[in-house]
């Protein structure tokens, strides 16, 4: 089954304690992206990756890191989490639009982070 | 700058009635438009997209959307709403300012269908 898998689904942690949210896709997609979803703000892009070893900042990258060492994995790293990073996070992937036409993004089921 | 607006935070519809969820856009190039649905505790699921061609696009679960270039709109519609259609709906547009693959999402519209 084609899917994007995020772990953990829920996490409560404390300020300053480094954490990693994993994201893995089994569709051989080149493009992957991280979003955060906050009430009234919709989805905001944190980082994205066009392919292995190619990453770039989205709209709200401060306080986050990513890496893309393998095509299937795109972990989101919070080196020193703060309460304002409490949010619902989504990973998504899609095939690269070779013709310039966007392909639908496939989303994971989300990770709810609470930073105390 | 590219943008997409969903003017209604919430839409309430009675089961069996037609529904419309509104979306307007602003882009610098050809508008590639998408609708996604989010059910509770789930990620977004793709419903339909407009790239080119027929202005009426049909998608999953009986939904369709009408592209209107003069009004820069891409409203989501369904002839007869179901209680199970209750969810959060997002409109999205290709981001010409960023890299290929990036989408700009609206803030979402909560659809509530009552029996």
């Amino acid at each position: 089954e084609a899917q994007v898998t995020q772990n953990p689904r829920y996490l409560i942690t404390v300020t300053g304690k480094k954490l990693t949210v994993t994201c893995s896709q089994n569709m051989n997609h080149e493009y992957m992206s991280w979003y955060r979803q906050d009430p009234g703000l919709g989805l905001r892009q944190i980082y994205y990756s066009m392919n292995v070893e190619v990453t770039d900042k989205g709209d709200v990258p401060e306080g986050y890191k990513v890496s893309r060492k393998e095509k299937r994995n795109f972990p989101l790293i919070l080196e020193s989490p703060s309460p304002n990073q409490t949010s619902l996070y989504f990973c998504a992937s899609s095939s690269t639009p070779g013709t310039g036409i966007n392909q639908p993004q496939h989303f994971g089921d989300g990770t709810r982070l609470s930073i105390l | 700058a590219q943008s997409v607006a969903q003017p209604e935070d919430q839409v309430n519809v009675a089961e069996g009635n037609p529904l419309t969820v509104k979306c307007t856009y602003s882009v610098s190039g050809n508008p590639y438009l998408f609708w996604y649905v989010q059910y509770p505790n789930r990620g977004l699921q793709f419903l339909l997209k407009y790239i080119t061609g027929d202005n009426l696009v049909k998608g999953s679960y009986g939904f369709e959307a009408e592209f209107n270039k003069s009004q820069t709109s891409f409203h989501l519609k369904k002839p007869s709403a179901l209680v199970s259609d209750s969810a959060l709906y997002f409109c999205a547009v290709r981001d010409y300012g960023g890299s290929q693959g990036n989408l700009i999402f609206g803030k979402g519209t909560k659809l509530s269908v009552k029996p």
Side-chain angles (χ1 to χ4, degrees), chain A residues 31 37 50 100 102 105 109, chain B residues 36 38 42-43 94 100-102:
Chain A
Y31 176 91
Q37 183 180 15
M50 293 298 291
N102 289 73
Q105 293 186 11
D109 282 337
Chain B
Y36 287 82
Q38 183 182 26
R42 300 298 303 275
R94 177 184 177 176
Q100 279 189 355
N102 284 356

Side-chain angles (χ1 to χ4, degrees), chain B:
Chain B
Q2 279 73 220
S3 66
V4 60
Q6 295 180 241
E8 301 153 318
D9 290 336
Q10 181 154 347
V11 171
N12 299 312
V13 178
E15 188 174 31
N17 283 1
L19 70 87
T20 298
V21 183
K22 295 179 180 177
C23 172
T24 58
Y25 65 89
S26 173
V27 298
S28 57
N30 290 324
Y32 296 162
L33 297 154
F34 299 77
W35 275 103
Y36 287 82
V37 60
Q38 183 182 26
Y39 298 104
N41 299 315
R42 300 298 303 275
L44 278 68
Q45 296 177 33
F46 168 73
L47 276 179
L48 51 81
K49 67 179 179 181
Y50 172 83
I51 303 298
T52 186
D54 195 346
N55 289 344
L56 187 63
V57 179
K58 294 190 184 298
S60 307
Y61 312 123
F63 283 93
E64 56 190 28
E66 186 171 10
F67 172 70
N68 187 316
K69 189 173 183 178
S70 62
Q71 297 185 6
T72 61
S73 67
F74 188 56
H75 300 333
L76 182 69
K77 301 182 179 187
K78 188 173 183 180
S80 179
L82 300 171
V83 172
S84 57
D85 292 330
S86 298
L88 189 57
Y89 290 81
F90 289 94
C91 182
V93 66
R94 177 184 177 176
D95 181 9
Y96 280 87
S99 183
Q100 279 189 355
N102 284 356
L103 295 176
I104 297 172
F105 287 86
K107 290 182 168 48
T109 298
K110 182 178 180 181
L111 173 66
S112 178
V113 182
K114 294 285 194 269

Side-chain angles (χ1 to χ4, degrees), chain A residues 11-112:
Chain A
L11 179 63
I12 301 173
T13 188
V14 296
T15 299
K17 185 176 181 181
K18 180 179 178 180
L19 67 91
T20 299
V21 184
T22 64
C23 174
S24 180
Q25 50 94 4
N26 64 359
M27 294 166 279
N28 201 35
H29 284 163
E30 293 86 1
Y31 176 91
M32 296 186 75
S33 180
W34 275 103
Y35 299 90
R36 60 179 287 173
Q37 183 180 15
D38 301 289
L41 297 177
L43 272 75
R44 293 181 292 169
Q45 190 179 48
I46 303 171
Y47 270 94
Y48 65 95
S49 169
M50 293 298 291
N51 215 324
V52 175
E53 301 292 0
V54 181
T55 63
D56 211 341
K57 296 177 181 179
D59 297 319
V60 288
E62 294 78 20
Y64 304 95
K65 286 175 57 177
V66 294
S67 68
R68 188 90 183 272
K69 293 183 171 57
E70 306 165 283
K71 199 172 189 178
R72 63 182 294 126
N73 295 324
F74 190 45
L76 179 70
I77 303 157
L78 285 71
E79 294 269 4
S80 183
S82 62
N84 64 11
Q85 293 177 297
T86 292
S87 187
L88 180 58
Y89 292 85
F90 288 101
C91 180
S93 73
S94 69
S95 55
T96 299
T99 60
I101 297 174
N102 289 73
Q103 302 304 317
Q105 293 186 11
H106 297 254
F107 283 77
D109 282 337
T111 295
R112 188 168 291 281

